[in-house]
Amino acid sequence: MIRPAALALTLLTASPALAQPAPQDPDWPCPQRLMPELAPGQMWTGPPPPSAVHWASDPQLSPLALELARTEIPLDDATARARSFAEAQPAAERGQRLALLFQGTLEIINGERSHLIDGIRNYTRNQRALAEKITAESAGLADLPVSPLEAVPEHLVALKRERDWDIRIFEDRSKSMKYLCDQPVLLEQRAFGLGRAMAEMVP
């Protein structure tokens, strides 16, 4: 039988959910450096947006910002939609209109990223709690007979069944961690791609 300490070590090191926590946040398991929020200065080189107007109050601009932020729309298609918007603006206003559009798009992307990051942190905490539960269950199985000919008390049979099920859940969830970690990265790449493309549309 696997010893409880050995089992706990195996679970904690085998899962990407717990194996690579960022030093600044023990609940952040992804290999990518955690950036809670994307700053516009990292990706936008055009003029600043007008301070007197909020993008969400613009009936033409706000639905477009929502579209551009959607990952279901390929980046090339989103860029083409932004270009059509830019070409429809008067040349004198195009820079500020694009700045406002990107501000809205980035705000939406940041909101979605924040939601994903919180979900990943919660996922990690749940995995850690499950690993601790498995360790406790394994400790309770220390008296499980090694020989299959020995009678096994019913409570140990039930505990082993529960422990084995918890291990299966833990391992299945661990396999999903790479996919979860990729989602904030995809949004970051989208923001950078849109920001650079839209900045190039400024006259």
Side-chain angles (χ1 to χ4, degrees), residues 44-193:
W44 176 253
T45 57
S51 58
V53 182
H54 192 272
W55 65 270
S57 63
D58 189 307
Q60 179 190 20
L61 192 148
S62 57
L64 180 57
L66 288 167
E67 287 184 15
L68 299 186
R70 288 177 54 198
T71 54
E72 297 88 349
I73 299 176
L75 183 59
D76 288 345
D77 291 349
T79 302
R81 297 184 191 191
R83 184 173 289 108
S84 296
F85 168 83
E87 292 172 351
Q89 309 305 310
E93 301 175 12
R94 189 175 302 166
Q96 285 199 331
R97 294 288 286 165
L98 282 168
L100 200 61
L101 176 61
F102 181 69
Q103 181 186 53
T105 303
L106 183 60
E107 187 173 320
I108 295 166
I109 288 176
N110 268 327
E112 179 63 20
R113 282 186 80 255
S114 178
H115 178 73
L116 288 170
I117 288 169
D118 287 345
I120 291 172
R121 285 170 167 159
N122 188 56
Y123 202 89
T124 303
R125 288 190 287 268
N126 288 339
Q127 281 290 80
R128 184 179 295 114
L130 186 56
E132 293 171 354
K133 180 174 182 284
I134 292 168
T135 300
E137 290 167 344
S138 298
L141 293 172
D143 297 329
L144 188 69
V146 177
S147 172
L149 299 179
E150 296 182 52
V152 180
E154 183 59 32
H155 75 280
L156 290 182
V157 173
L159 182 59
K160 184 178 185 303
R161 187 182 300 117
E162 183 176 359
R163 194 275 307 270
D164 292 346
W165 178 251
D166 287 339
I167 290 175
R168 179 178 176 181
I169 293 174
F170 184 95
E171 292 174 345
D172 287 346
R173 288 177 179 173
S174 296
K175 294 173 184 176
S176 301
M177 187 52 67
K178 182 182 184 304
Y179 170 80
L180 293 176
C181 286
D182 285 344
Q183 302 315 299
V185 176
L186 293 176
L187 284 172
E188 179 181 342
Q189 292 171 347
R190 187 174 187 85
F192 270 88

Side-chain angles (χ1 to χ4, degrees), residues 12-43:
L12 292 173
T13 56
S15 169
L18 300 174
Q20 300 175 341
Q24 73 276 17
D25 188 341
D27 291 331
W28 180 248
C30 304
Q32 301 89 356
R33 184 171 64 89
L34 175 60
M35 290 196 300
E37 184 172 286
L38 303 175
Q42 297 173 301
M43 59 200 78

Side-chain angles (χ1 to χ4, degrees), residues 2 5-15 170:
I2 300 177
L7 176 64
L9 180 62
T10 300
L11 290 171
L12 292 173
T13 56
S15 169
F170 184 95

